[in-house]
Amino acid sequence: MVSDPSSYAGAQIRLVAVDMDGTLLDDEKNFPPGLDELLDHLEQRGVVFVPASGRQVWTLIDMFPERPGLTFIGENGAIVMRDGREISSAPLDLATVRESVRLVRQYALPRPGATAACEDAGEGAPKGSQRENFDGGLVVCGKNCAYVERTDEGFLAAVTPYYARTQCVDNLMKVIDDIEQGRIDEAIIKLAVYSAGDVTAFADATLGRFARSHQFAISAANWADLQDRGVDKGRALRALQEYLGVTPGQTAVFGDAGNDLSMIAQAEFSFAMENASADVRAAARFLAPSNNEAGVVQVLRALLAE
């Protein structure tokens, strides 16, 4: 792996895809100094800058309020939007969404203030099932907003930083019914489970049931995601490259975690952050300074050097 800036300075880059947490943002979730000036420079050079994250696309848009024309890869690749317009998306089948709701209700602690209609065996856990004691909940991620039926303060505090548009509902099954019957114009593009502790056991008991038929991943210590088979940041980036007429040789990618690997494979100028996991460091061609050292900004300045 190469870390010498002279090995990539002056490359003819037209597209830059950047993971957010652990890559562009520092450990305190702050943007790196010099980012605004860099984005101005990229725009002047005609280089498309793309935040690519597991976060909701509306959250990403809200994070860049002064950049209305930006392109975003949201929900780990389930949706791509450019200047507020959808470029691509990959909805989940509603049968899987229904069963996921049932499983989460079965294995999570009873929701504070839950109605009997949601918590009885007929609507939630199968009759005779043994409820586990996982302190977690489900986020049903639509194109328009995220839907939750767990509404206690602790859960919402964990959800809303990543899902800026979140709607609290009495019954997620009714949301699914309304989508299926065309009463609301919506499509579900991702399911996410959150656990107050290590998410692994809770995720395996719920969304992990669909790992063979769908795209399942532990995305963070407290989060796990389920999407349509084959959906990832790499597929989304490939669709965007085709849309823009950009080649992998004109693309730079920055990442730090396993959900960035597919994206790294789509770019000749692939950068692992100094703080990246071992598999990302092994897959990337170049090494960037850490997220706490404004590594993305440092490297892009070198890339843009005349």
Side-chain angles (χ1 to χ4, degrees):
M1 183 181 295
V2 180
S3 57
D4 180 6
S6 65
S7 61
Y8 50 77
Q12 299 303 302
I13 298 300
R14 293 180 55 199
L15 175 62
V16 177
V18 180
D19 173 59
M20 295 293 288
D21 297 280
T23 299
L24 183 63
L25 304 179
D26 66 20
D27 289 348
E28 302 300 320
K29 307 301 182 185
N30 297 315
F31 284 108
L35 180 63
D36 281 337
E37 294 82 357
L38 175 66
L39 293 181
D40 288 340
H41 193 184
L42 290 170
E43 185 176 349
Q44 292 164 7
R45 292 278 293 269
V47 179
V48 178
F49 179 84
V50 185
S53 175
R55 294 172 183 248
Q56 185 186 53
V57 71
W58 303 110
T59 303
L60 296 174
I61 290 171
D62 285 351
M63 293 175 76
F64 294 86
E66 305 301 321
R67 307 280 173 176
L70 278 187
T71 303
F72 299 92
I73 295 174
E75 308 281 17
N76 277 329
I79 189 165
V80 180
M81 294 186 71
R82 178 171 170 81
D83 196 16
R85 185 167 62 89
E86 180 183 320
I87 301 301
S88 66
S89 64
L92 275 164
D93 60 288
L94 292 181
T96 298
V97 179
R98 284 185 190 279
E99 184 60 18
S100 297
V101 172
R102 293 191 183 97
L103 286 166
V104 170
R105 288 175 178 173
Q106 176 182 349
Y107 286 97
L109 288 166
R111 295 183 293 114
T115 63
C118 289
E119 291 297 339
D120 68 16
E123 182 75 351
K127 290 183 179 180
S129 65
Q130 179 64 43
R131 188 185 297 275
E132 300 292 333
N133 292 321
F134 294 117
D135 183 6
L138 177 67
V139 183
V140 175
C141 310
K143 288 184 181 181
N144 300 319
C145 71
Y147 303 90
V148 297
E149 62 183 18
R150 177 173 170 174
T151 60
D152 58 283
E153 183 178 351
F155 179 70
L156 291 180
V159 169
T160 52
Y162 301 98
Y163 299 93
R165 292 190 183 182
T166 298
Q167 183 175 339
C168 298
V169 300
D170 291 333
N171 190 341
L172 285 171
M173 291 296 191
K174 185 178 184 304
V175 175
I176 300 168
D177 288 342
D178 287 344
I179 294 172
E180 198 166 51
Q181 299 301 318
R183 290 189 288 267
I184 60 175
D185 183 15
E186 180 64 284
I188 305 306
I189 55 177
K190 190 182 78 175
L191 299 173
V193 289
Y194 168 81
S195 173
D198 188 313
V199 77
T200 304
F202 182 43
D204 287 345
T206 55
L207 302 187
R209 301 281 187 94
F210 305 99
R212 291 190 176 184
S213 57
H214 292 69
Q215 192 85 3
F216 169 72
I218 304 294
S219 53
N222 305 102
W223 288 94
D225 300 331
L226 189 76
Q227 298 171 275
D228 194 31
R229 172 61 72 188
V231 172
D232 54 33
K233 292 182 182 181
R235 191 168 89 169
L237 181 59
R238 185 164 62 251
L240 185 58
Q241 287 170 327
E242 293 172 359
Y243 177 83
L244 296 172
V246 172
T247 68
Q250 298 169 315
T251 304
V253 164
F254 296 80
D256 74 302
N259 62 344
D260 299 319
L261 287 168
S262 61
M263 189 167 65
I264 281 171
Q266 285 297 122
E268 289 188 16
F269 293 91
S270 55
F271 292 85
M273 309 306 292
E274 179 68 42
N275 53 288
S277 59
D279 53 350
V280 173
R281 291 169 68 102
R285 289 183 61 199
F286 303 99
L287 184 66
S290 80
N291 63 319
N292 291 321
E293 299 174 279
V296 171
V297 170
Q298 290 192 52
V299 169
L300 286 178
R301 284 174 174 162
L303 275 169
L304 294 173
E306 298 294 344

